[in-house]
């Protein structure tokens, strides 16, 4: 049974509060109300208490089938999330309702469902107003990291699965620690983590849980076997511990509640001691939500990223087996773009998100995927063991331990087959060129070749997708954000840390001239940051955290002045925050590219010399402040650089620097060294190539970073590079002043 019913409807509502219940372990028909009803007094507090606390709030109750026992729903979190979005949209059709502020209140699994609903609303234009209208989220003991103790419901589901031979209900996976659904929804939701005010309620009483005990081998994955006389015991545990119950948002308020997991959201009266930590905070959130004005006007023009997503989707639809490569420089948003695309493929049953930055992470995620798909894989493995599979055989097999290595091997075999229900498997390999050796690439490319498997990977190396390569795919270059898109990202990041009232008063206090000055300065900031999402977000948070700025004109001006200073620029580019969607600094991302440049070139003769010459070429282009350079212009540049280096090479190589002794010989005697270096710089996206005309592009953030790394480069060396660039510019200007002007604009 699914419904979204209003339970409190004032005459003129000014805020909507939506309650979403938890897992239904007992299969109760009225579980949606029972979740919020005090067992002793029978008080259904969303109706009884909020009617007095928030008389102008419309209160709605969402019910969905979350039973894991009889009549268990086969729908998973994403399916219920779309249902919630659809029902809520249909309850808010009138113009005055579309923009009404929203607050979600959820218990346990309901919190994961709400997060997934906001992911759906972020990408589906039909639900755009729901995302824009949402102000606050209240989570009662929600397992954001996956709960370690799903308790009696988990054990019951395992036993039911063993007896029936049916895959375990997907909803239960949402409560398993590090499950596929939890990991993927967390990654998707992380990109809007700081968009809302959050109240997280933490259970502070342990809950008695009846469990079935068994003694598996140390490295085994086992199931409770009723045939082998199980031992029953009663224990008390936190179902969702404090670390899992914290979302990690910037605007998050934590409150301990002296209740267990089941009773944490049940209150008998306004004077209930447990309600004292909940009611006033919810009331304050609803009052602030009224000041929140949703901005969900639809525009006729799509952004650059929207057009790219459409192109990817069109290519995806052309083939029965899709392979897509998203390529671009570090921090440009390849991962976020792939998340957005996957969110549009809502009908996909199996989605595996695997980090390929190194083999250790990839192996870790494959093992995690095997655990998350355990029932599916055991069913598949039983079929391999016995071709005559019946329910009794399957049931007996489920009581047989299987080692984790066997489960991992089964996953690899399963990826090469077609699932029984005919569904397709989507695998995302994130940062694929992080794998070190050709052997690793050969080993893993063979795993992801199944007829029912579609592949998306992100990388910095565009040559990986070339025809005949192991990872041959349709290539999509992910460019930096356009100026307007970057401005929107910066505004959003700044808005995360100031109230809507302060933002409006700030804007209203400025006259038209001051507003224009602020807009112009902001454009200069995002231009300096190259339109790279990671840099824009980090820059915005640097202004807030270090400069104390709240998006005001003086803050942007001060930030620009710091960017002009070499030492301050280094501090900005090294800043990072673990809670943001981009967890590492921009400088660290460039250092990763330089590390991979070294790795790619290590087999070359005199490779250490070539690496330093690559960096010399890149630094010279950076000091020259080139943005776009045609191939003709690059030829002019090479000729000018040869002339200059013939005169200044002694100065360069006499400095205390990382140059090997034979680097100067290569520079002066080998005509092709710049072309060879360019090829390797393109492979790690330190320089990128425009697909339509082959023009070379160098991002402002890359230019800023390469003059800072490696860290052992001295100021004397930077000065020498700038002198080289200055003389190259003079020769270039004398040769072709027009092309020089175009390249540096």
């Amino acid at each position: 049974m699914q419904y979204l019913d209003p339970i409190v409807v004032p005459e003129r509502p000014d805020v909507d509060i939506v309650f979403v219940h938890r897992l239904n372990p007992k299969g109760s028909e009225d579980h949606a109300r029972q979740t919020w009803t005090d067992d002793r007094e029978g008080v259904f507090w969303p109706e009884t208490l909020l009617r007095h606390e928030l008389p102008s709030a419309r209160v709605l109750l969402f019910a969905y089938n979350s039973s894991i026992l009889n009549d268990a729903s086969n729908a998973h979190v994403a399916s219920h999330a779309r249902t919630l979005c659809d029902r809520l949209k249909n309850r808010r059709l009138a113009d005055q309702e579309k923009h009404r502020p929203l607050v979600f209140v959820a218990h346990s699994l309901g919190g994961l469902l709400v997060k997934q609903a906001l992911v759906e609303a972020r990408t589906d234009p039909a639900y755009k107003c729901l995302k824009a209208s949402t102000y606050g989220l209240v989570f009662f003991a929600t397992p954001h990291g996956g709960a370690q103790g799903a308790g009696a419901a988990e054990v019951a589901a395992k036993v039911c699965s063993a007896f029936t031979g049916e895959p375990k209900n997907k909803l239960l996976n949402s409560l398993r620690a590090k499950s596929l659904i939890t990991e993927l929804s967390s990654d998707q939701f992380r990109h809007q983590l700081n968009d809302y005010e959050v109240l997280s309620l933490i259970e502070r009483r342990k809950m008695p849980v009846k469990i079935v005990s068994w003694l598996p081998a140390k490295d085994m994955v086992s199931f409770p076997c009723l045939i082998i006389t199980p031992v029953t015991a009663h224990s008390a545990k936190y179902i969702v511990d404090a670390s899992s119950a914290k979302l990690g948002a910037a605007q998050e308020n934590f409150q301990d509640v002296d209740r267990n997991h089941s009773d944490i959201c049940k209150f008998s009266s306004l004077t209930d001691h447990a309600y004292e930590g909940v009611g006033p905070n919810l009331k304050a959130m609803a009052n602030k939500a009224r000041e929140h004005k949703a901005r969900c006007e639809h525009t006729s023009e799509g952004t650059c990223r929207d057009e790219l997503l459409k192109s990817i989707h069109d290519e995806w639809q052309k083939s029965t087996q899709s392979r897509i490569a998203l390529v671009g420089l570090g921090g440009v948003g390849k991962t976020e773009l792939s998340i957005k695309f996957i969110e549009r493929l809502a009908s996909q049953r199996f989605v595996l998100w695997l980090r390929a930055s190194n083999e250790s992470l990839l192996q870790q995620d494959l093992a995690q995927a095997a655990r998350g798909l355990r029932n599916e894989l055991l069913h598949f493995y039983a079929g391999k063991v016995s071709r005559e599979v019946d329910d009794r055989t399957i049931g007996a097999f489920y009581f047989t331990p299987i080692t984790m290595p066997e489960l991992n091997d089964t996953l690899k075999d399963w990826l090469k087959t077609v699932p029984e229900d005919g569904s397709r498997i989507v695998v995302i390999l994130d940062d694929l060129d992080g794998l070190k050796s050709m052997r690793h690439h050969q080993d893993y490319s063979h795993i992801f070749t199944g007829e029912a498997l579609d592949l998306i990977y992100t990388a910095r190396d565009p040559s990986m997708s070339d025809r005949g390569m192991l990872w041959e795919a349709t290539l999509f270059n992910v460019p930096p954000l356009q100026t307007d898109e970057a401005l929107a990202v910066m505004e959003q990041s700044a808005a995360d840390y100031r109230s809507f009232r302060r933002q409006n008063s700030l804007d209203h206090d400025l006259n038209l001239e001051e507003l224009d000055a602020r807009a112009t300065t902001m454009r200069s900031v995002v231009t300096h940051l190259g339109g790279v999402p990671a840099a824009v977000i980090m820059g915005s948070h640097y202004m807030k955290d270090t400069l104390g700025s709240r998006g005001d004109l003086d803050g942007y001006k001060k930030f620009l002045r710091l960017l002009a200073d070499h030492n301050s620029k280094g501090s900005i580019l090294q800043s990072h925050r673990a809670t943001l969607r981009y967890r590492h600094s921009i400088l660290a991302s460039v250092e990763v590219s330089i590390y991979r440049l070294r790795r790619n070139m290590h087999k070359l003769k005199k490779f250490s010399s070539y690496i330093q010459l690559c960096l010399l070429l890149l630094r010279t282009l950076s000091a020259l402040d080139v943005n776009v350079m045609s191939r003709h212009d690059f030829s002019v540049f090479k000729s000018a650089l040869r002339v200059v280096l013939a005169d200044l090479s002694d100065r360069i190589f006499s400095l205390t620097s990382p140059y090997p002794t034979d680097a100067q010989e290569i520079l002066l005697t080998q005509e092709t060294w710049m072309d060879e270096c360019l090829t390797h710089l393109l492979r790690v996206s330190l320089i990128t190539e425009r697909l339509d005309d082959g023009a070379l592009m160098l991002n402002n953030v890359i230019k800023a970073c390469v003059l800072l790394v490696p860290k052992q480069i001295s100021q004397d060396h930077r000065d020498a590079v700038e002198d080289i660039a200055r003389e190259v510019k003079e020769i270039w200007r004398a040769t072709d002043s027009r092309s020089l002007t175009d390249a540096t604009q």
Side-chain angles (χ1 to χ4, degrees), residues 304 364 401 435 459 580 598 647 714:
C304 176
Q364 178 183 324
L435 292 180
L580 299 180
R598 298 177 188 277
D647 294 333
S714 66

Side-chain angles (χ1 to χ4, degrees), residues 14-35:
D14 54 13
V15 61
D16 282 349
I17 303 177
V18 181
F19 283 78
V20 183
H21 63 82
R22 64 182 173 95
L23 195 72
N24 186 0
K26 298 179 181 179
S28 171
E29 292 185 2
D30 198 25
H31 183 67
R33 292 181 69 92
Q34 290 175 358
T35 294

Side-chain angles (χ1 to χ4, degrees), residues 64-168:
Y64 60 99
N65 188 352
S66 62
S67 171
I68 63 165
L69 297 175
N70 298 327
D71 192 32
S73 169
N74 284 324
H76 49 84
V77 169
S79 175
H80 289 312
R82 288 191 295 275
T83 300
L84 172 58
C85 288
D86 194 63
R87 298 291 173 89
L88 196 52
K89 183 193 73 168
N90 291 336
R91 286 280 183 185
R92 295 160 56 93
L93 294 176
D95 286 341
Q96 64 271 25
E97 293 178 318
K98 286 180 182 178
H99 308 288
R100 185 182 298 154
L102 265 171
V103 173
F104 287 97
V105 181
H107 181 210
S108 194
L109 174 70
L112 303 186
L113 194 154
V114 168
K115 286 161 61 177
Q116 186 63 41
L118 291 170
V119 168
E120 299 288 334
R122 183 174 183 247
T123 56
D124 191 332
Y127 306 134
K128 187 175 182 180
C129 276
L130 298 181
K131 163 70 174 68
S133 301
T134 301
Y135 176 83
L137 307 173
V138 179
F139 294 119
F140 285 91
T142 291
H144 299 295
Q148 294 293 343
E154 178 179 9
V155 175
K158 290 177 182 174
V159 174
C160 288
S161 179
F163 284 159
T164 64
E166 293 294 324
K168 190 194 309 180

